[in-house]
Amino acid sequence: MRDRSTTSKLFYEERKATKIFLGLFYIFYISFELIYYYIFPNIYGRGITRPQEGLGIWIYIILFGLFPLAIYFIKQGNPYIVKYLYIYSFIVVDTVHNILIYYGTDKSFASGDIAEVVFILFSPIFINKKYFWTVSAGMVLKYIILGIILLDVQVVVPMVIYIILSAIAFIILIRFDSYIGSLTKVHEELRQNEKLAVIGQMAAAIGHEIRNPLSTLKGFTQLQQERYPNTNDFYPIMIQEIDRINSIVNDLMYLGKPKEVKFVTANIEEIIAYTLSITQQQAERNKVTIETTIAGPLPPIDCDSHQLKQVFINLIKNAIESMPDGGRVMIKVGVLGGNKMEISIRDEGCGIDDGLIPNLGEPFYTTKTEGTGLGLMVSNQIIQDHQGEITFKSIVGNGTMVIVTIPIVQVFGKK
Ligand code: ADP
Ligand code: MG
């Protein structure tokens, strides 16, 4: 839906630009021809007439013959081609024309044409770099070819003028382009935020409704387990699954109202040790071993330790899940540049394709059948709240390294 309307809007813009271009081209061209070859000679009585040599009247026939063709293409829904039709036709016709007139004569080359100025100066209206380069390079190339064939240095004059005009047009084009680029980005961000806000409100509302019955359910399940200790083989699984639902609900609620970060001074080793104790079971089930390297004595950091635990649990779980046949997870913690803590989590799993890395952290982006696609989103948010950064380095089939860096001291965030 959105794509279609965007395409059709772009289509109308292109059609508008093409019509403006056609109007300008013919108005300038006809005015110039009239003034230069008919009005001017009549006033001053001097005989400047349109050269009868070369293509003569055929130039008019060809250039005006393009008009019905242009209308046909616009009606056909292909306005994009019209501008190229004009520039290519013009360059070919004008080159042939000039060669026919000047080749083999010693007549001095009289060059420059209002049509060329229109082509170059108005090329930015299409906001198309390829077209701009076609026009500028085409014009310059035309004069280079003419200069070589006619052995006339006169061609340098229009070339220099057109290069200057091209530079002006280029600046205008680049400004347009960057302006439109920023507008598009702002819109994209707004749309993303809106989407998140709607999803977030919904998620928070549903999450809130689910949490209460869930805790009741868990309470009664635990009660049942105590009451019938000899038939309890399913209860641990039930409780575990309820916890899983609970953690998904928590992630969902994070979407709606990011919790306020409460910075305290905490010990990163303790945070890592806690996350390991939580993920240990899953690692064993998946035949994954986790190795931790702590580089030297580490300073305490300012952080919301509860939230950081959540981040590392998410990242370690992802690492474990990337190795269905088992393997190693290597965690390294160290100080980076004196003021940052770097925690890297490396796995020997499936890896992530380079092209997919921008999707990581998008809400609901997941490649797992049982995934929620919320883990990295929440982790990203938390690390951002800590003024830190998460980066991914990955080789498909080889493994992934997730690097988290956070400042050791929170300058503004400490409360
Ligand atoms: P989930 O784990 O529920 O799928 P996440 O937000 O945690 O959601 O991760 C999103 C996706 O990123 C995963 O589905 C997976 O495709 C990819 N991913 C994350 N971490 C890794 C990793 N260590 N190795 C390979 N792929 C990963
Ligand atoms: Mg995950």
Side-chain angles (χ1 to χ4, degrees):
M1 186 65 191
R2 180 174 163 264
D3 274 346
R4 221 177 62 199
S5 79
T6 316
T7 326
S8 73
K9 266 185 203 125
L10 287 179
F11 170 78
Y12 283 120
E13 282 303 319
E14 178 75 19
R15 214 167 68 169
K16 230 191 280 176
T18 305
K19 284 180 181 167
I20 293 172
F21 166 78
L22 288 177
L24 286 169
F25 180 80
Y26 285 111
I27 288 171
F28 275 94
Y29 189 72
I30 294 170
S31 316
F32 180 80
E33 294 286 309
L34 278 179
I35 293 170
Y36 197 71
Y37 293 116
Y38 301 99
I39 298 174
F40 212 55
N42 278 333
I43 294 173
Y44 296 99
R46 266 189 279 132
I48 316 170
T49 48
R50 176 91 199 167
Q52 293 303 305
E53 318 108 294
L55 290 173
I57 193 79
W58 278 101
I59 288 211
Y60 291 149
I61 295 176
I62 294 170
L63 288 185
F64 286 95
L66 288 179
F67 190 67
L69 208 57
I71 299 293
Y72 170 76
F73 280 123
I74 293 177
K75 288 249 145 60
Q76 279 289 303
N78 193 359
Y80 307 94
I81 206 170
V82 173
K83 53 184 182 293
Y84 289 109
L85 178 74
Y86 272 74
I87 184 69
Y88 285 130
S89 310
F90 181 83
I91 288 178
V92 171
V93 167
D94 202 56
T95 309
V96 172
H97 178 65
N98 280 310
I99 292 173
L100 285 178
I101 297 176
Y102 298 104
Y103 187 67
T105 69
D106 50 5
K107 272 188 273 186
S108 179
F109 182 57
S111 63
D113 196 315
I114 192 77
E116 296 174 350
V117 177
V118 171
F119 271 122
I120 297 176
L121 266 189
F122 290 104
S123 61
I125 66 172
F126 292 103
I127 322 213
N128 181 326
K129 284 191 187 148
K130 186 179 148 210
Y131 173 70
F132 168 82
W133 287 115
T134 309
V135 171
S136 305
M139 289 297 172
V140 172
L141 211 68
K142 188 187 101 175
Y143 282 103
I144 292 178
I145 292 172
L146 283 176
I148 294 173
I149 295 180
L150 304 177
L151 296 174
D152 194 334
V153 286
Q154 283 285 334
V155 296
V156 172
V157 180
M159 254 166 73
V160 170
I161 294 176
Y162 291 158
I163 288 173
I164 294 171
L165 288 184
S166 292
I168 296 172
F170 186 67
I171 291 169
I172 297 173
L173 173 68
I174 290 295
R175 284 307 311 140
F176 273 164
D177 201 53
S178 120
Y179 188 65
I180 290 171
S182 319
L183 269 185
T184 320
K185 226 164 94 190
V186 168
H187 269 275
E188 195 52 42
E189 270 166 23
L190 274 180
R191 217 174 55 83
Q192 186 68 18
N193 286 348
E194 245 164 49
K195 194 169 91 183
L196 269 184
V198 173
I199 296 172
Q201 281 162 7
M202 227 175 75
I206 296 173
H208 190 79
E209 294 303 313
I210 292 179
R211 270 224 300 212
N212 290 339
L214 211 56
S215 62
T216 315
L217 199 59
K218 187 174 172 182
F220 283 129
T221 313
Q222 277 166 338
L223 213 66
Q224 286 290 87
Q225 182 179 19
E226 282 159 24
R227 206 180 275 175
Y228 305 103
N230 40 351
T231 55
N232 68 359
D233 41 349
F234 291 125
Y235 291 125
I237 298 173
M238 284 167 77
I239 292 169
Q240 193 183 316
E241 292 299 301
I242 292 173
D243 283 341
R244 209 166 83 90
I245 299 175
N246 206 29
S247 85
I248 294 174
V249 167
N250 279 340
D251 280 354
L252 274 173
M253 288 183 67
Y254 202 92
L255 267 173
K257 37 172 201 270
K259 295 187 200 92
E260 203 184 324
V261 214
K262 290 190 201 78
F263 289 104
V264 291
T265 311
N267 189 331
I268 188 81
E269 281 122 311
E270 274 171 22
I271 294 175
I272 299 284
Y274 175 84
T275 42
L276 290 181
S277 71
I278 297 284
T279 46
Q280 196 53 45
Q281 252 193 344
Q282 192 188 358
E284 277 167 20
R285 267 204 308 274
N286 289 274
K287 299 189 180 61
V288 169
T289 52
I290 304 181
E291 298 163 15
T292 318
T293 320
I294 308 252
L298 296 174
I301 59 170
D302 290 340
C303 66
D304 185 324
S305 60
H306 182 70
Q307 295 200 359
L308 276 196
K309 284 172 190 166
Q310 201 182 339
V311 170
F312 296 124
I313 291 173
N314 281 336
L315 297 181
I316 294 171
K317 277 190 166 190
N318 279 348
I320 295 172
E321 284 159 10
S322 76
M323 300 182 285
D325 301 322
R328 281 185 308 164
V329 176
M330 285 146 284
I331 303 173
K332 263 191 198 153
V333 190
V335 175
L336 187 76
N339 56 0
K340 278 184 184 157
M341 191 69 78
E342 184 182 86
I343 304 102
S344 68
I345 294 154
R346 212 170 96 201
D347 62 58
E348 304 170 326
C350 54
I352 310 161
D353 192 90
D354 269 352
L356 296 177
I357 286 188
N359 294 339
L360 304 178
E362 283 279 311
F364 307 116
Y365 171 75
T366 179
T367 53
K368 300 167 193 166
T369 38
E370 299 236 319
T372 61
L374 290 172
L376 288 181
M377 191 228 92
V378 172
S379 307
N380 261 336
Q381 188 64 51
I382 293 173
I383 296 303
Q384 259 175 37
D385 290 343
H386 281 77
Q387 325 295 334
E389 219 181 349
I390 303 187
T391 47
F392 296 87
K393 286 183 188 160
S394 190
I395 300 172
V396 173
N398 201 320
T400 304
M401 177 147 96
V402 188
I403 305 162
V404 178
T405 48
I406 34 177
I408 291 174
V409 179
Q410 290 289 335
V411 185
F412 301 111
K414 198 163 180 178
K415 292 205 179 99

